[in-house]
Amino acid sequence: MRITVVGSINLDLVASAPRLPRAGETVTGATLARHPGGKGANQALAARRLGAEVCLIGRVGDDAMADEATDLLDAAGVDLSEVETEAAALTGVALIAVGPDGENQIVVAAGANHGAMPEQLPARIEGPLIVQLELPIATVEAAVGRATDFVCVNLAPAAPVSDQMLRRADLIVVNETEAAFYADLLHHGGGRVVTTLGAEGAVMHQRGAEIARAAPPTVTAVDATGAGDAFVGAICVALLEGMAPEAALRFACAAGALAATRPGAQPSLPTRAEVEALLA
């Protein structure tokens, strides 16, 4: 299969600290690492490492961070021919604080991602499509409107979107916070809605009725950054390959769990062999 991902591309600056700060507090003793990130880029790489052909449509700045942000995508064979460079902007940056239990706090400076306009999109997007909400909403909705096949909408971070886009989605993925933000709007269409539940796994609904549920394998969490994106890439690959809902959820939960066992967003994303070994 060949999946198109329309989404953000960032460089993640990750501070691993003895604990996460409270509001107004400074925590010292952290170590700093730099990793490629951005929800669009993460989900593109996740799907690629799980066996799909992937094309990423996005935007970076004309700076050294752009090369860092796309290195792992390029090395994995993600098609970057539709990634444009904006000379007047910096590549997007995410500032991430990670605690010893793997929990994190994230602040994103979108940079060039804000410049991804509908005019950058092809007139028709053939094949499956994955989108998130780290690009301008108008661009995300235009991408969904031009899709001709399966559409997955990851409603992260939560923001107001059109009911038309929600109804068009074949698959909606949210976490518990995002599910509370959208409430019943999630179930207005006929597509499947997956809610991730952290350590409790994930549940799938269709037309408001639960149709599947799965728990993740037990792992030792190091950094939750990228785990949700690993889940999105995996659930799309699994469903597109024809897995039944429960099997698809187990596959995606395993991918997300593996991502949480390693630091960084993209460096933590598992391969197909790793996911299958954990499930076995």
Side-chain angles (χ1 to χ4, degrees):
M1 75 187 77
R2 181 176 174 84
I3 297 172
T4 297
V5 178
V6 176
S8 55
I9 303 169
N10 292 333
L11 183 66
D12 293 347
L13 306 182
V14 184
S16 297
R19 59 183 177 82
L20 295 178
R22 295 184 292 271
E25 181 185 19
T26 299
V27 173
T28 60
T31 58
L32 181 68
R34 300 161 68 101
H35 302 294
K39 284 189 170 297
N42 295 348
Q43 292 172 16
L45 185 60
R48 177 67 186 131
R49 286 186 175 171
L50 294 172
E53 295 292 326
V54 181
C55 173
L56 175 62
I57 300 176
R59 207 165 184 86
V60 294
D62 187 12
D63 53 31
M65 292 190 297
D67 292 333
E68 282 190 78
T70 56
D71 275 350
L72 291 181
L73 295 162
D74 190 41
V78 174
D79 181 356
L80 301 177
S81 61
E82 298 294 329
V83 174
E84 295 187 353
T85 300
E86 183 176 350
L90 296 176
T91 298
V93 173
L95 307 176
I96 305 173
V98 180
D101 58 355
E103 290 299 314
N104 58 38
Q105 296 173 339
I106 304 175
V107 176
V108 176
N113 292 302
H114 270 321
M117 295 288 105
E119 292 75 20
Q120 184 180 342
L121 302 171
R124 286 168 56 88
I125 298 178
E126 306 287 350
L129 170 69
I130 301 174
V131 298
Q132 327 74 34
L133 303 185
E134 287 190 335
L135 296 185
I137 298 299
T139 303
V140 177
E141 296 201 345
V144 172
R146 299 179 192 186
T148 63
D149 203 322
F150 172 93
V151 172
C152 170
V153 177
N154 176 210
L155 292 169
V161 297
S162 70
D163 190 58
Q164 181 180 2
M165 185 172 80
L166 297 178
R167 290 179 182 275
R168 170 63 182 87
D170 299 285
L171 175 66
I172 293 172
V173 182
V174 290
N175 63 22
E176 291 176 279
T177 301
E178 293 148 2
F181 179 89
Y182 293 101
D184 290 342
L185 290 174
L186 295 174
H187 305 287
H188 283 186
R192 295 167 175 172
V193 177
V194 171
T195 305
T196 58
L197 307 172
E200 296 181 11
V203 59
M204 182 183 292
H205 290 83
Q206 190 162 25
R207 299 189 185 278
E210 181 177 325
I211 60 172
R213 181 181 291 265
T218 301
V219 298
T220 300
V222 172
D223 179 3
T225 309
D229 296 326
F231 182 97
V232 172
I235 193 70
C236 289
V237 169
L239 291 174
L240 289 167
E241 287 182 354
M243 290 190 198
E246 188 172 332
L249 284 180
R250 286 198 303 270
F251 182 82
C253 285
L258 278 170
T261 66
R262 298 182 283 230
Q266 290 181 29
S268 73
L269 298 173
T271 64
R272 181 69 174 249
E274 289 174 321
V275 174
E276 291 178 346
L278 181 59
L279 288 171

